[in-house]
Amino acid sequence: MNHSEIYLVAGATGNVGGEIVTQLLAAGKSVRVLVRDPAKAAARWGDRVQVVVGDLAKPATSAGTFTGIAGAFLLNRGLESESLDAFLAEAKAAGVLRIVFLSTLLAGDPSSEIGQIHKAQEDAIRASGLAGKFLRPGGFMTNSYQWIPSIKAEGVVYNPMGSGRSAPVSPEDIAAIAVKALTSPGAEEAIYEITGGELLSVPEQAEILAGILGRELRCVDIPSATAVENLRRAGTPAHVAEAVGRSFDAIREGRGVVIRDTVEKELRRPPQTYAAWARRNASRFA
């Protein structure tokens, strides 16, 4: 096995991480996944990936996690600074060439609490001396999965963002840029601000989804405080839920109207549309 082509993917069973693994395998790369649940990885990829059981939020990783790794994909999943520092120290000691980190578009906004949580982790990677490639996507199209229970039960999409628009991006597009950043030579820092190519409100997304599902969906406005409470009940840490609530308010107030051409520049094609993504994932909502 060619060590220069082994890539470590944390959060490999998530929407973005899973797509990164799939795209790396399709490109003929060897992949090691860092997962909490090895059964999920085995069910999805069988013996096509090397599996390491571990948790980014806990500093001690399994022996050999970084052996022969050319690049690692990391994300913010309950990471405390001590855990990240320990993880980065292990990676550096093992000779990892680059870290691709899933940050947020809000990392460039000093007034955004959730943005600054990610920015602090970006800065820890910079301070480690490892080559950092920072993915800063806007809202994910997969955020629509949060509507599945209410769509199935009531035919309703609950909306804390009013008529505010943003440019949601597909995990496949984020992953394709991540794969390029992971596998391209070069040790210089890079920041990729990633959005979709169309500005859509939640009611507009719901209307597109309704047309694809062939059923009526009602969009019901709710206060951001209600959405925050729902996130907390679902297990999101309180401070993160509150920060997400403030990002909902920002979109409601018209501060989410941002489109970047990073997908076109990096991938030489337009970003995936919300309608195309929804068609491919319609069975989840049915």
Side-chain angles (χ1 to χ4, degrees):
M1 182 177 286
N2 182 348
H3 278 173
S4 67
E5 290 191 348
I6 305 178
Y7 297 93
L8 178 70
V9 180
T13 56
N15 291 318
V16 175
E19 190 58 39
I20 290 172
V21 174
T22 297
Q23 292 185 27
L24 282 169
L25 290 173
K29 305 299 184 185
S30 297
V31 182
R32 187 175 298 157
V33 298
L34 178 67
V35 292
R36 288 179 287 193
D37 183 354
K40 277 189 184 176
R44 186 159 180 183
W45 297 294
D47 61 0
R48 297 170 66 209
V49 299
Q50 304 170 14
V51 178
V52 175
V53 179
D55 190 335
L56 268 183
K58 294 173 184 168
T61 55
S62 303
T65 297
F66 296 103
T67 304
I69 293 296
F73 169 78
L74 306 182
L75 70 170
N76 174 13
R77 182 178 281 173
L79 267 177
E80 300 297 335
S81 57
E82 301 80 22
S83 306
L84 181 59
D85 289 345
F87 196 91
L88 294 170
E90 288 185 54
K92 189 172 185 183
V96 173
L97 299 177
R98 66 190 67 86
I99 300 288
V100 174
F101 179 69
L102 185 62
S103 185
T104 170
L105 194 59
L106 296 170
D109 179 359
S111 69
S112 166
E113 207 172 324
I114 205 156
Q116 292 313 294
I117 290 170
H118 286 79
K119 175 67 163 49
Q121 294 175 339
E122 288 186 10
D123 288 343
I125 294 167
R126 291 181 177 102
S128 74
L130 288 160
K133 313 286 184 180
F134 304 108
L135 310 180
R136 291 182 174 181
F140 293 7
M141 291 179 182
T142 44
N143 290 348
S144 300
Y145 290 155
Q146 295 166 12
W147 309 335
I148 290 174
S150 62
I151 284 176
K152 288 186 173 180
E154 310 164 72
V156 169
V157 170
Y158 289 102
N159 172 28
M161 292 176 272
S163 58
R165 284 183 160 141
S166 62
V169 62
S170 75
E172 291 86 353
D173 285 346
I174 300 168
I177 292 172
V179 167
K180 184 176 178 185
L182 270 172
T183 59
S184 297
E188 65 285 346
E189 178 180 318
I191 294 174
Y192 305 91
E193 294 192 335
I194 311 167
T195 71
E198 54 191 349
L199 290 169
L200 294 169
S201 65
V202 168
E204 288 166 337
Q205 291 173 56
E207 186 179 355
I208 291 168
L209 190 55
I212 289 164
L213 297 176
R215 62 175 293 192
E216 185 181 347
L217 295 179
R218 287 188 302 120
C219 211
V220 175
D221 271 13
I222 58 171
S224 59
T226 302
V228 168
E229 185 53 38
N230 291 341
L231 286 169
R232 290 176 64 170
R233 275 205 298 267
T236 304
H239 72 288
V240 176
E242 299 277 356
V244 171
R246 283 188 277 279
S247 71
F248 291 159
D249 291 337
I251 290 173
R252 181 187 282 270
E253 293 160 11
R255 290 183 276 135
V257 183
V258 176
I259 289 185
R260 298 285 186 261
D261 62 357
T262 308
V263 172
E264 289 97 332
K265 279 183 177 172
E266 294 297 322
L267 305 180
R268 309 286 180 178
R269 61 166 174 79
Q272 186 170 189
T273 65
Y274 184 80
W277 174 85
R279 271 194 296 274
R280 206 174 57 259
N281 294 284
S283 62
R284 295 209 188 197
F285 298 88

